[in-house]
């Protein structure tokens, strides 16, 4: 599901996210695998990865399903005085010029809750890479779905925005439904209530690696939690690197 009205407060809610670490991890991979010129950012959201990449000299295309998120990203791009091509598109139907690298961070791939959709998107990414191009992405681990989210409720109460975030876990499918209720303070002092539901699914890392190789990718690497180390039982975020021959 695309982010809708929540887009207006997304950056505020994600203010503590480690965007610098994602950027450092990507550039570390590119140092080893070859620095790209053109980069496609899948699930780019409000541009918190795409814009810094553009400021570092990369030619970036940001792709997202949500027009609301892209509108926020466009405004941020104007303020930062960089140039990025924004495309409203479902990653499962990707249709763009080829690039040297495709990346997808902040667990965007975890929103693909069917195996067929993951495999289809892998195939499209492969087709959109120049030979030698790299594919970088991260996902929630099974441990994160089961123990980080589980059947838990999270809350936030602030003057301008409050939320109730309920998680409902299906342990057999390693899937979680996030039911989000936001209360946004308006100029008249009243609060607007916004409700959204988002579903995410984890896959076993060896399945994802196998599907990448079946697609044709080589040099598939799996690490965890920005560490550069192999995943452990309690790793929460899995990082994948693959290359088109």
């Amino acid at each position: 599901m695309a982010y809708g009205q929540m887009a207006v407060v997304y950056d505020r809610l994600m203010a503590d996210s480690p965007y610098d670490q994602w950027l450092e991890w990507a550039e570390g991979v590119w140092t080893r695998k070859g620095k790209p010129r053109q980069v496609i950012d899948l699930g780019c959201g409000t541009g918190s990865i795409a814009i810094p990449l553009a400021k570092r000299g990369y030619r970036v295309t940001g792709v997202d399903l949500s027009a609301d998120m892209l509108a926020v990203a466009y405004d941020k791009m104007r303020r930062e005085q960089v140039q990025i091509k924004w495309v409203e598109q479902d990653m499962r139907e990707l249709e763009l010029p080829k690039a040297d690298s495709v990346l997808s961070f902040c667990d965007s791939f975890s929103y693909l809750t069917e195996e067929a959709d993951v495999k289809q998107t892998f195939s499209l990414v492969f087709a959109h890479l120049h030979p030698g191009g790299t594919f970088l992405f991260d996902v929630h681990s099974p441990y994160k779905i089961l123990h980080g989210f589980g059947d838990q409720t999270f809350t936030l109460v602030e003057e301008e925005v409050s939320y109730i975030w309920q998680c409902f876990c299906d342990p057999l499918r390693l899937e979680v439904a996030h039911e989000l209720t936001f209360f946004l303070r308006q100029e008249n002092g009243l609060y607007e209530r916004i409700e959204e539901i988002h579903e995410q699914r984890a896959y076993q890392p060896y399945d994802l690696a196998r599907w990448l190789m079946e697609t044709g990718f080589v040099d598939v690497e799996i690490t965890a939690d920005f560490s550069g180390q192999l995943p452990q039982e309690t790793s929460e975020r899995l990082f994948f690197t693959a290359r088109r021959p």
Side-chain angles (χ1 to χ4, degrees):
M1 175 180 175
Y3 285 86
Q5 291 174 290
M6 181 181 162
V8 298
V9 294
Y10 182 83
D11 282 340
R12 179 170 180 175
L13 299 174
M14 298 290 287
D16 294 331
S17 294
Y19 292 115
D20 288 345
Q21 292 186 61
W22 273 302
L23 291 163
E24 290 171 9
W25 184 81
E27 293 205 297
V29 172
W30 292 335
T31 297
R32 295 186 290 112
K33 305 287 186 178
K35 186 174 181 179
R37 290 172 297 177
Q38 307 98 354
V39 177
I40 296 173
D41 181 4
L42 290 182
C44 66
T46 62
S48 295
I49 296 291
I51 292 170
L53 285 174
K55 293 178 73 171
R56 297 182 187 194
Y58 300 96
R59 298 207 299 269
V60 184
T61 299
V63 181
D64 204 273
L65 184 61
S66 170
D68 295 300
M69 298 287 271
L70 291 174
V72 176
Y74 180 81
D75 288 342
K76 289 166 63 177
M77 177 192 73
R78 293 284 299 272
R79 291 196 300 271
E80 296 291 337
Q81 298 183 331
V82 294
Q83 188 61 45
I84 297 169
K85 180 179 180 181
W86 304 110
V87 179
E88 182 185 347
Q89 202 170 91
D90 190 324
M91 68 172 70
R92 296 169 297 183
E93 301 172 356
L94 193 63
E95 188 174 354
L96 294 169
K98 289 186 177 182
D100 302 315
S101 188
V102 175
L103 57 80
S104 184
F105 292 148
C106 203
D107 47 83
S108 292
F109 261 78
S110 295
Y111 286 92
L112 301 178
T113 58
E114 299 298 332
E115 294 181 11
D117 289 337
V118 177
K119 294 176 181 179
Q120 167 75 3
T121 308
F122 283 175
S123 295
L124 288 170
V125 169
F126 187 90
H128 280 75
L129 283 170
H130 293 301
T134 52
F135 178 29
L136 288 60
F137 68 98
D138 69 4
V139 292
H140 288 315
S141 70
Y143 178 88
K144 179 64 176 291
I145 294 292
L146 294 174
H147 302 285
F149 296 125
D151 289 311
Q152 300 193 59
T153 298
F154 307 92
T155 60
L156 172 74
V157 179
E158 293 184 351
E159 184 70 19
E160 299 298 323
V161 58
S162 299
Y163 68 70
I164 302 169
W165 169 12
Q166 295 176 284
C167 302
F168 299 95
C169 183
D170 181 343
L172 295 181
R173 279 178 55 87
L174 295 175
E175 188 168 316
V176 62
H178 306 283
E179 295 191 4
L180 303 160
T181 304
F182 289 88
F183 301 91
L184 306 183
R185 191 173 188 271
Q186 306 301 299
E187 291 184 359
N188 60 9
L190 300 178
Y191 286 81
E192 179 184 7
R193 176 172 174 163
I194 298 172
E195 294 182 339
E196 295 194 6
I197 299 176
H198 300 269
E199 296 179 343
Q200 292 186 304
R201 185 180 180 186
Y203 299 92
Q204 296 297 342
Y206 48 77
D207 284 331
L208 290 167
R210 176 167 54 86
W211 299 338
L212 286 166
M213 290 185 285
E214 289 173 352
T215 301
F217 285 103
V218 297
D219 298 340
V220 176
E221 301 174 1
I222 310 173
T223 59
D225 298 331
F226 300 103
S227 68
Q229 304 298 314
L230 291 173
Q232 304 299 316
E233 183 179 348
T234 58
S235 298
E236 296 192 348
R237 188 176 295 276
L238 305 177
F239 287 79
F240 288 79
T241 303
R243 182 175 62 84
R244 174 172 177 165

